[in-house]
Amino acid sequence: EVQLVESGGGLVQPGGSLRLSCAASGFTFSDHYMDWVRQAPGKGLEWVGRTRNKANSYTTEYAASVKGRFTISRDDSKNSLYLQMDSLKTEDTAVYYCARDYSSETLAPGYWGQGTLVTVSS
Amino acid sequence: QSVLTQPPSASGTPGQRVTISCSGSSSNIGSHYVYWYQQLPGTAPKLLIYRDNQRPSGVPDRFSGSKSGTSASLAISGLRSEDEADYYCAAWDDSLRGRVFGGGTKLTVL
């Protein structure tokens, strides 16, 4: 069974940094694309970025709203995905979800974690 | 404003058929698959439809997806109270080089 468990959320001041983690189990982690998606309180879903799998050299892509401030990385030996968030702004306040592609042929998010809340406030 | 446009709300009575639209452009829906997600209150999103009209195992056949040109639709037939949720469409966008979501549609079962 695919399981994704996010951690690392919390309260941080504007301009600060935070690192989120996503622990994966139930599948061969290195085979899959992984995404981060966020949801501000009472708002819709917003794609943050993704990392491709080992076969595609772990390349990353980011939404314009976070490019240059957020960095996605992964450690296949630990079955873990990370989101390093720097220069945080109040508008980054959201629940952050990690998600795995549905399949190797269908690269959109198909499995989601429960999310972790990040609050950026002074 | 979201790149993909959805109506903010929809409603229906039990047993009815409801449709939720998703409008995009040639850089997203017009050239890539559409995905639909269901988000029940207080929970993570769940994949409902992939590749325009395919259902993951476990998703009832009451849910169906279609696409024409730069628009897509999610249809729910035999509406049930447990279908009350937020529904989001999504697609890859070549211009933005990223995934885009619709603003979401809140479905109310009257």
Side-chain angles (χ1 to χ4, degrees):
Chain A
E1 178 194 3
V2 174
Q3 287 201 330
L4 301 168
V5 179
E6 301 92 338
S7 62
L11 175 64
V12 60
Q13 291 188 336
S17 298
L18 205 60
R19 188 197 197 204
L20 305 184
S21 300
C22 172
S25 61
F27 62 98
T28 303
F29 186 70
S30 60
D31 286 348
H32 292 273
Y33 285 42
M34 299 294 297
D35 286 41
W36 286 99
V37 178
R38 67 184 181 183
Q39 186 170 35
K43 302 296 184 183
L45 301 173
E46 180 187 15
W47 182 75
V48 172
R50 75 173 179 186
T51 171
R52 292 184 174 84
N53 57 9
K54 180 179 180 180
N56 288 280
S57 305
Y58 302 125
T59 52
T60 53
E61 290 161 310
Y62 299 92
S65 59
V66 306
K67 196 170 186 178
R69 300 187 299 122
F70 289 12
T71 303
I72 296 173
S73 61
R74 60 193 295 167
D75 185 339
D76 289 356
S77 68
K78 295 182 179 180
N79 291 339
S80 292
L81 175 73
Y82 305 102
L83 179 65
Q84 176 67 41
M85 303 184 293
D86 299 318
S87 302
L88 281 161
K89 306 175 182 180
T90 55
E91 52 263 41
D92 294 319
T93 293
V95 173
Y96 284 74
Y97 296 100
C98 73
R100 198 207 86 174
D101 60 27
Y102 178 61
S103 71
S104 56
E105 293 83 29
T106 303
L107 301 177
Y111 300 89
W112 298 64
Q114 85 290 348
T116 187
L117 176 63
V118 172
T119 303
V120 184
S121 174
S122 55
Chain B
Q1 290 79 357
S2 302
V3 174
L4 304 182
T5 301
Q6 297 180 235
S9 63
S11 63
T13 57
Q16 266 192 331
R17 182 179 188 270
V18 297
T19 301
I20 297 171
S21 62
C22 176
S23 178
S25 67
S26 59
S27 65
N28 42 66
I29 293 179
S31 51
H32 292 280
Y33 290 119
V34 175
Y35 301 81
W36 288 92
Y37 296 91
Q38 177 193 58
Q39 187 175 33
L40 298 170
T43 70
K46 168 190 171 184
L47 181 64
L48 207 58
I49 297 289
Y50 67 98
R51 290 195 166 192
D52 298 342
N53 54 22
Q54 302 298 302
R55 283 185 309 276
S57 60
V59 173
D61 59 7
R62 302 186 297 105
F63 295 90
S64 62
S66 63
K67 187 176 84 172
S68 178
T70 59
S71 294
S73 293
L74 172 71
I76 309 172
S77 60
L79 198 62
R80 304 174 68 163
S81 58
E82 56 260 42
D83 298 333
E84 194 160 281
D86 293 324
Y87 293 85
Y88 296 90
C89 59
W92 188 261
D93 189 289
D94 287 330
S95 298
L96 297 175
R97 296 180 184 176
R99 195 172 310 286
V100 291
F101 286 92
T105 298
K106 183 176 183 61
L107 175 64
T108 301
V109 181
L110 302 170

